[in-house]
Amino acid sequence: MSKYVKVMYGTTSGASDFKYKVNEINVSEHWNPNAEKGRDFGGFNYTTEECMLRWLHRGDTIYDVEIPKEAENIKIEGATTIYRTNKIIISNSRKVDDELALHFYKISKIPEKSYYKALGVVSIMNYRKTAYAILKDKVNENNIDEVLEEWNDFISHGNKNDRKGVNDLVSEIERDLYEIKSNMLISRFN
């Protein structure tokens, strides 16, 4: 059975300004399980440990999640699986560091394409070992165009480009990606 988790900045959601109570039932102020767009659902997001890698940019603290019996709950399939609920209990806080991020990478079960965005996620969070593990394991000359497309989509953040210079690791990984692309182009002409 999968363990459910949530990532936040301390006790505040990285997706909203909701302040969570630890070891208590948190009740959503807005809940529409029949909505068609993500923001319209309301509620609380959470995921499994196997999908957490993709969401690490939403905070610096991981919590275990318990869903009360009376809660409404929906599963949203997409690039990775996300759950939403109108009631949630969080407990057992742990600070996320590179070792924990690497653990989430090693146990991850996400679609291949999601790893390319996850490379951006761990880079902006400055998880160096994890970023280079993904780069080494998941990026090659056969998929570099798709990797760059996903990387640029995530890093550009809706054309805000506020993630582009967030730290040296983002610049390093981007340089490495374009070097892989460049070497691929050079090798075609040799």
Side-chain angles (χ1 to χ4, degrees):
M1 184 171 166
S2 293
K3 183 175 183 179
Y4 297 113
V5 290
K6 181 168 184 64
V7 63
M8 296 184 285
Y9 287 100
T11 56
T12 303
S13 170
S16 70
D17 59 358
F18 186 86
K19 185 102 167 139
Y20 287 76
K21 298 173 277 185
V22 179
N23 296 314
E24 294 181 37
I25 296 175
N26 294 274
V27 179
S28 177
E29 296 168 1
H30 174 69
W31 176 244
N32 180 5
N34 300 314
E36 294 190 21
K37 294 184 180 176
R39 290 231 176 249
D40 297 336
F41 282 103
F44 305 110
N45 288 338
Y46 65 99
T47 192
T48 62
E49 286 186 312
E50 292 86 4
C51 290
M52 179 48 68
L53 177 71
R54 173 61 182 83
W55 303 105
L56 289 175
H57 66 292
R58 294 281 178 98
D60 61 4
T61 307
I62 296 285
Y63 290 89
D64 293 339
V65 167
E66 180 184 341
I67 304 303
K69 288 181 181 163
E70 71 277 6
E72 292 182 55
N73 198 37
I74 57 175
K75 180 178 182 180
I76 302 170
E77 297 285 351
T80 61
T81 302
I82 282 287
Y83 298 88
R84 288 190 192 236
T85 185
N86 64 332
K87 297 178 182 179
I88 193 169
I89 301 169
I90 60 167
S91 62
N92 189 26
S93 69
R94 290 144 352 255
K95 281 292 186 187
V96 182
D97 60 14
D98 203 0
E99 294 302 320
L100 186 54
L102 189 58
H103 164 74
F104 285 128
Y105 169 58
K106 288 178 180 177
I107 66 166
S108 64
K109 294 179 183 168
I110 58 178
E112 192 67 22
K113 190 174 180 178
S114 294
Y115 286 105
Y116 313 152
K117 273 202 175 41
L119 178 59
V121 167
V122 298
S123 296
I124 68 166
M125 297 304 289
N126 213 21
Y127 302 140
R128 180 175 296 279
K129 286 187 221 175
T130 310
Y132 277 103
I134 295 170
L135 185 70
K136 177 181 165 274
D137 295 345
K138 301 291 182 183
V139 180
N140 59 59
E141 64 184 28
N142 297 319
N143 67 5
I144 189 62
D145 290 329
E146 187 175 19
V147 171
L148 280 167
E149 184 179 324
E150 293 299 309
W151 168 270
N152 287 324
D153 180 61
F154 184 80
I155 295 299
S156 76
H157 196 203
N159 293 322
K160 295 178 198 169
N161 285 319
D162 57 345
R163 295 174 172 162
K164 202 141 187 89
V166 73
N167 62 43
D168 291 342
L169 183 58
V170 170
S171 300
E172 282 177 42
I173 295 294
E174 185 166 79
R175 199 169 37 247
D176 290 343
L177 291 171
Y178 280 102
E179 187 174 303
I180 291 167
K181 171 79 173 165
S182 175
N183 286 341
M184 186 181 81
L185 290 174
I186 291 169
S187 67
R188 286 185 189 163
F189 296 106
N190 289 337

